[in-house]
Amino acid sequence: MTQMLPSAAVLGARAFAALAGLNRFSDEPGKLTRLYLSPAHRQAAEWVKGAMEVAGLSAFIDAAGSVQGRRDGAAAGHPSVMIGSHIDTVKDGGRFDGNLGVVAGILVAQALRDAGITLPFPLEVVAFGDEENVRFPTHLSTSEALAGRYDPAWLDGRDADGVKLSDALVAFGGNPAGIPALARKPGSIRAYLELHIEQGPVLEAENEPVGIVTTINAQSRARVRITGEAGHAGTVPMALRKDALTAAAEMALALEAIAGSHELAVGTVGVFRPNPGATNVVPGAVEFTIDFRAPKNETLASMETAIRARFAEIATRRGVGLDIVPYARAEAVPMDPALQEALAAGVTKTGSNLATRRLPSGAGHDAMSMAAVAPAAMLFVRNEKGISHSPLENMTEADAGIAIRVMLETILELAERSK
Amino acid sequence: MTQMLPSAAVLGARAFAALAGLNRFSDEPGKLTRLYLSPAHRQAAEWVKGAMEVAGLSAFIDAAGSVQGRRDGAAAGHPSVMIGSHIDTVKDGGRFDGNLGVVAGILVAQALRDAGITLPFPLEVVAFGDEENVRFPTHLSTSEALAGRYDPAWLDGRDADGVKLSDALVAFGGNPAGIPALARKPGSIRAYLELHIEQGPVLEAENEPVGIVTTINAQSRARVRITGEAGHAGTVPMALRKDALTAAAEMALALEAIAGSHELAVGTVGVFRPNPGATNVVPGAVEFTIDFRAPKNETLASMETAIRARFAEIATRRGVGLDIVPYARAEAVPMDPALQEALAAGVTKTGSNLATRRLPSGAGHDAMSMAAVAPAAMLFVRNEKGISHSPLENMTEADAGIAIRVMLETILELAERSK
């Protein structure tokens, strides 16, 4: 029956056309900015609902603002297969981040309907709305709702204008009281699959159009404060200095070396603020952030031990104060091995020349939430320059088509396995 | 005749009382802020003029805003000995920086007059007004006027409010057209002596109340821009990064090492701005400043060569762009050897237990300008915590008294040498 399905090239063209439609909805003219529960989010949700209905799914916008579409399977009682991603964006974001995964789900459903294929299981497509964590102090709240892990305290969170999430949700047309009922029962979802643009340069560097995600990396963040002694840049001899900046610089290099010595780990100093920050003053204090990630929790823990030991050694040797305040931590979320295999089968069926490249995800995704209630797996699509969260984010139509075709083949592979 | 002179303890008490009077004049309530040509500067200048007159000097406020006081010597025709420093301050500055040197000159003149001593040479005391380079884009303009190096273009410089220096000078009561006539003839000043609080911790660390300045260090400043590649902190593998921040951190440590390997040299990164400066983004660019100083021009040149070579090596190895833009450079200004000896004699006469400690000055002073037209030397006074340009700047009354007594003994030493 595969002959009746659209080619990768056709799927790529359909995806780009669909994205052009969906990405008209923005909170900022000339940019793609679509924050959770904004007017543009509502318009985009309506567009997605319409597109789902045209693709043969019954659809509704749920209590938390996600769009849920569904087509029943051949027989009742089977757990569903769900394809999902998100339609919120960062401020001035890229065209593909999240949106492509939602469009992919709709195009897969449409292709199956058009080919007259009825799956043995229900097919669901979901467009989550709060993945980017930009507007409210939440994280993945809309997928956490389906996972049954929604924290009611999130409803009291406020945006930069002081608007409460619960009020914004009501204004959007959602229903705070209905959120608990969104929780799916364990066992009711057989597979959660998410297609997403890679937010880094790995597939690009290896010249592969798609990659299978092995795990969503464990992650830790901390604010670090170094307290030295400010002084005149001309008059304090080097031997008498307690320069907070050079101490912090040595720590940034230590973090880089520690990350580089652990497989697939990363470590970044992104914020770095010397005080007072004047040309002719030896900095008396520096505040900087560290962000480090690894595929395994044990690796992250061993990195943290190494970081603390090295930073303490540097601070002691240089006679400066050191204060490390961790403020965010996420455990690693391994993707389901059987679903990874199903994706690999989908890749191979899509093209015998395609490698089944595996890679961890350094960024968080709705699949992290869904993995709490269902087997979950992700497919990454090559990012042309490795750039994301930027209008420069890009991919080829050909790669988008290959990836959607892989999703289609993977759904058919799961159908085969149901026999 | 030395018996008739006030003791160090008395001079210290007089100095602290005088500073309490002079430092009432501030542009900001509760802080000591006295910018060039401000109302507080005018009030302070009037106070200094009055204090000079009470001390037996004839005094006037000159065309550039400096206060000049003078008492003739025993016979006409001798070149003068000048004691000077400045009465402008940084914003929220310290009590001693500049002001103590002016007060010292007045107290020396007063002590000599009270003791009935007529020097063989004229004694001049000068309170410069533009040493800190805070309000206008000038540097030492009031002492440069006496040195005959005033650049008329400085009159067109503007402050942060857009006020032209020439207009501010007229409003102050000065006279732009009269500045050229302020230039002293070479040979007309036999010695320029400046007492100044040390703006670093050297004397404090060595437990010496005073030190003789050997040279005012050569200095170079540059802005450095590193251009790497911004990326997601979670998704760009370490091996594919071009992290501008870790490149800049390595350069900051290289500068520190280069400065540490040259005798009496210093090197500082004071400004350090990563872009975009977000926790979860690998910095794509960093701008930082370097400031390095050394007692000899050759040392500064060899540091600069080493800095350029090391920075280039780091940039090449890390694949980042490097742009170094020097924007300020000053040659070393050696202090006059004979005047250093006269100061050493003054130290020894003040107390046989006092060491004649020599040290370079890492900061600029009016003595740099005056050295262009006269032999110049400086005496540093111990800074209690090495802190300057801050309300925390401090010294003991005892140290101030010792230093002023050294100035008095040095003037008498120069008088001896005139016989």
Side-chain angles (χ1 to χ4, degrees):
Chain A
M1 62 187 176
T2 308
Q3 284 78 348
M4 302 153 65
L5 295 170
S7 67
V10 166
L11 288 167
R14 287 181 186 173
F16 270 48
L19 286 172
L22 174 55
N23 287 338
R24 282 176 301 164
F25 307 114
S26 172
D27 298 317
E28 292 186 286
K31 298 177 178 177
L32 181 53
T33 298
R34 199 187 296 145
L35 305 189
Y36 180 41
L37 303 179
S38 71
H41 180 206
R42 180 75 208 187
Q43 292 171 307
E46 296 290 359
W47 185 97
V48 166
K49 181 166 174 278
M52 286 176 170
E53 288 168 344
V54 168
L57 302 165
S58 59
F60 67 104
I61 301 177
D62 76 20
S66 300
V67 193
Q68 299 194 29
R70 179 188 170 99
R71 191 158 74 108
D72 284 335
H78 282 271
S80 62
V81 170
M82 181 183 284
I83 301 176
S85 197
H86 61 96
I87 57 173
D88 62 314
T89 74
V90 297
K91 291 176 185 170
D92 201 15
R95 292 180 291 156
F96 302 95
D97 183 352
N99 291 306
L100 178 66
V102 172
V103 162
I106 294 169
L107 293 181
V108 165
Q110 185 184 38
L112 292 167
R113 191 270 319 265
D114 292 350
I117 298 169
T118 300
L119 298 167
F121 40 73
L123 179 67
E124 295 195 82
V125 179
V126 181
F128 295 113
D130 187 27
E131 198 263 0
E132 297 290 7
N133 190 25
V134 172
R135 181 172 174 189
F136 295 101
T138 51
H139 193 47
L140 305 175
S141 70
T142 48
S143 46
E144 290 289 307
L146 264 62
R149 301 196 301 189
Y150 196 98
D151 181 345
W154 293 342
L155 290 165
D156 297 326
R158 290 178 191 271
D159 68 11
D161 295 327
V163 178
K164 247 176 139 172
L165 196 160
S166 57
D167 293 337
L169 183 55
V170 169
F172 177 89
N175 173 22
I179 289 176
L182 294 177
R184 298 301 181 93
K185 288 195 184 67
S188 68
I189 303 173
R190 171 185 168 167
Y192 173 82
L193 293 171
E194 183 167 356
L195 175 159
H196 203 284
I197 186 169
E198 187 199 345
Q199 294 180 280
V202 174
L203 295 173
E204 168 75 8
E206 302 192 3
N207 200 27
E208 295 290 344
V210 293
I212 298 161
V213 176
T214 54
T215 187
I216 296 174
N217 283 353
Q219 175 183 356
S220 186
R221 287 186 184 173
R223 278 180 277 272
V224 183
R225 185 178 172 83
I226 306 300
T227 312
E229 277 179 18
H232 190 298
T235 63
V236 185
M238 298 309 282
L240 296 179
R241 292 190 178 195
K242 293 180 179 176
D243 184 335
L245 189 141
T246 48
E250 202 177 336
M251 292 176 196
L253 293 174
L255 175 65
E256 184 185 48
I258 289 165
S261 70
H262 288 78
E263 202 183 357
L264 295 173
V266 291
T268 307
V269 173
V271 172
F272 192 102
R273 296 196 194 100
N275 188 297
T279 303
N280 64 340
V281 183
V282 180
V286 172
E287 292 190 336
F288 65 97
T289 57
I290 56 175
D291 174 311
F292 53 105
R293 314 189 193 196
K296 292 183 183 169
N297 294 329
E298 311 85 75
T299 310
L300 198 79
S302 117
M303 288 173 76
E304 179 156 7
T305 303
I307 289 165
R308 287 190 173 273
R310 282 286 288 135
F311 281 22
E313 182 273 313
I314 292 165
T316 302
R317 170 163 41 80
R318 289 178 172 270
V320 299
L322 168 66
D323 190 27
I324 304 177
V325 181
Y327 70 94
R329 192 185 184 93
E331 301 284 297
V333 180
M335 297 290 94
D336 183 72
L339 281 186
Q340 290 185 52
E341 288 312 314
L343 280 168
V347 169
T348 305
K349 282 190 188 166
T350 297
S352 55
N353 58 326
L354 294 174
T356 54
R357 174 71 167 92
R358 314 277 175 136
L359 74 171
S361 171
H365 293 286
D366 288 302
M368 291 170 75
S369 307
M370 295 308 297
V373 73
M378 291 189 74
L379 183 72
F380 274 173
V381 191
R382 169 162 55 186
N383 183 321
E384 206 171 63
K385 286 178 180 161
I387 298 169
S388 189
H389 287 184
S390 157
L392 299 175
E393 182 187 75
N394 203 19
M395 69 169 59
T396 64
E397 194 177 294
D399 284 357
I402 289 168
I404 297 169
R405 179 76 193 215
V406 169
M407 292 293 278
L408 194 48
E409 296 287 1
T410 303
I411 298 295
L412 294 172
E413 172 71 18
L414 293 175
E416 280 295 313
R417 294 186 185 183
S418 293
K419 282 182 182 169
Chain B
M1 63 189 176
T2 309
Q3 283 78 351
M4 304 151 64
L5 295 170
S7 68
V10 167
L11 289 167
R14 287 182 185 172
F16 270 49
L19 286 173
L22 174 55
N23 288 338
R24 280 175 303 162
F25 308 114
S26 172
D27 299 316
E28 291 186 286
K31 297 178 179 177
L32 181 53
T33 299
R34 199 187 297 143
L35 305 190
Y36 180 42
L37 303 179
S38 71
H41 179 206
R42 180 76 208 186
Q43 293 171 307
E46 296 290 1
W47 185 97
V48 167
K49 183 166 172 279
M52 286 177 172
E53 288 168 344
V54 168
L57 302 165
S58 60
F60 68 104
I61 300 178
D62 76 20
S66 299
V67 193
Q68 299 194 29
R70 178 188 170 98
R71 192 157 73 108
D72 283 336
H78 282 271
S80 63
V81 169
M82 182 184 283
I83 302 175
S85 197
H86 61 96
I87 57 172
D88 63 312
T89 74
V90 298
K91 291 177 184 169
D92 201 14
R95 291 179 292 157
F96 302 95
D97 183 352
N99 291 306
L100 179 65
V102 171
V103 162
I106 295 169
L107 293 180
V108 165
Q110 185 184 39
L112 292 168
R113 193 269 321 266
D114 291 352
I117 299 169
T118 301
L119 298 167
F121 41 72
L123 179 66
E124 295 195 81
V125 180
V126 181
F128 296 112
D130 188 27
E131 198 263 359
E132 296 290 6
N133 189 26
V134 171
R135 182 173 174 190
F136 294 102
T138 51
H139 193 46
L140 306 174
S141 70
T142 49
S143 45
E144 289 289 307
L146 265 62
R149 302 195 302 188
Y150 196 97
D151 182 346
W154 293 342
L155 291 165
D156 297 325
R158 291 176 190 273
D159 70 8
D161 295 327
V163 178
K164 248 176 138 173
L165 196 160
S166 56
D167 294 337
L169 183 55
V170 169
F172 178 87
N175 174 21
I179 290 176
L182 295 177
R184 299 299 182 92
K185 287 193 185 66
S188 67
I189 303 173
R190 173 187 166 165
Y192 174 82
L193 293 170
E194 182 166 356
L195 175 158
H196 203 284
I197 185 168
E198 188 200 346
Q199 294 179 279
V202 173
L203 296 172
E204 167 76 9
E206 302 192 3
N207 200 27
E208 295 291 345
V210 294
I212 298 159
V213 175
T214 53
T215 188
I216 297 174
N217 283 353
Q219 176 183 355
S220 186
R221 287 185 185 174
R223 280 181 275 272
V224 183
R225 183 175 174 84
I226 306 301
T227 312
E229 278 180 16
H232 190 298
T235 63
V236 184
M238 298 310 281
L240 296 180
R241 291 189 179 196
K242 293 180 179 175
D243 185 334
L245 190 141
T246 48
E250 201 177 338
M251 292 176 197
L253 294 174
L255 174 66
E256 185 185 48
I258 289 166
S261 69
H262 288 79
E263 200 182 358
L264 296 172
V266 290
T268 307
V269 173
V271 172
F272 192 103
R273 297 196 193 101
N275 189 299
T279 303
N280 64 340
V281 182
V282 179
V286 173
E287 290 190 339
F288 65 97
T289 57
I290 56 174
D291 174 312
F292 53 105
R293 314 188 195 197
K296 293 182 182 169
N297 295 329
E298 312 85 77
T299 311
L300 198 79
S302 117
M303 289 174 76
E304 178 158 5
T305 303
I307 289 164
R308 286 190 174 273
R310 282 284 289 133
F311 282 22
E313 182 274 312
I314 292 164
T316 303
R317 170 164 40 79
R318 288 177 172 272
V320 298
L322 167 67
D323 189 28
I324 304 178
V325 181
Y327 69 94
R329 190 183 185 93
E331 301 284 295
V333 180
M335 298 289 94
D336 183 72
L339 281 185
Q340 290 185 51
E341 287 314 311
L343 279 168
V347 169
T348 305
K349 283 188 186 166
T350 297
S352 56
N353 58 327
L354 294 174
T356 53
R357 173 70 167 93
R358 314 277 175 132
L359 73 170
S361 171
H365 294 287
D366 288 302
M368 291 169 74
S369 306
M370 295 308 296
V373 73
M378 292 188 73
L379 184 72
F380 274 173
V381 192
R382 169 163 54 188
N383 183 320
E384 206 172 63
K385 286 179 180 162
I387 298 169
S388 190
H389 287 184
S390 156
L392 298 175
E393 183 187 74
N394 203 20
M395 70 168 57
T396 65
E397 193 177 297
D399 284 357
I402 289 168
I404 297 168
R405 180 75 191 215
V406 170
M407 292 293 277
L408 194 45
E409 297 288 2
T410 303
I411 298 293
L412 295 172
E413 172 71 18
L414 292 175
E416 281 294 314
R417 294 186 185 183
S418 294
K419 282 183 182 167

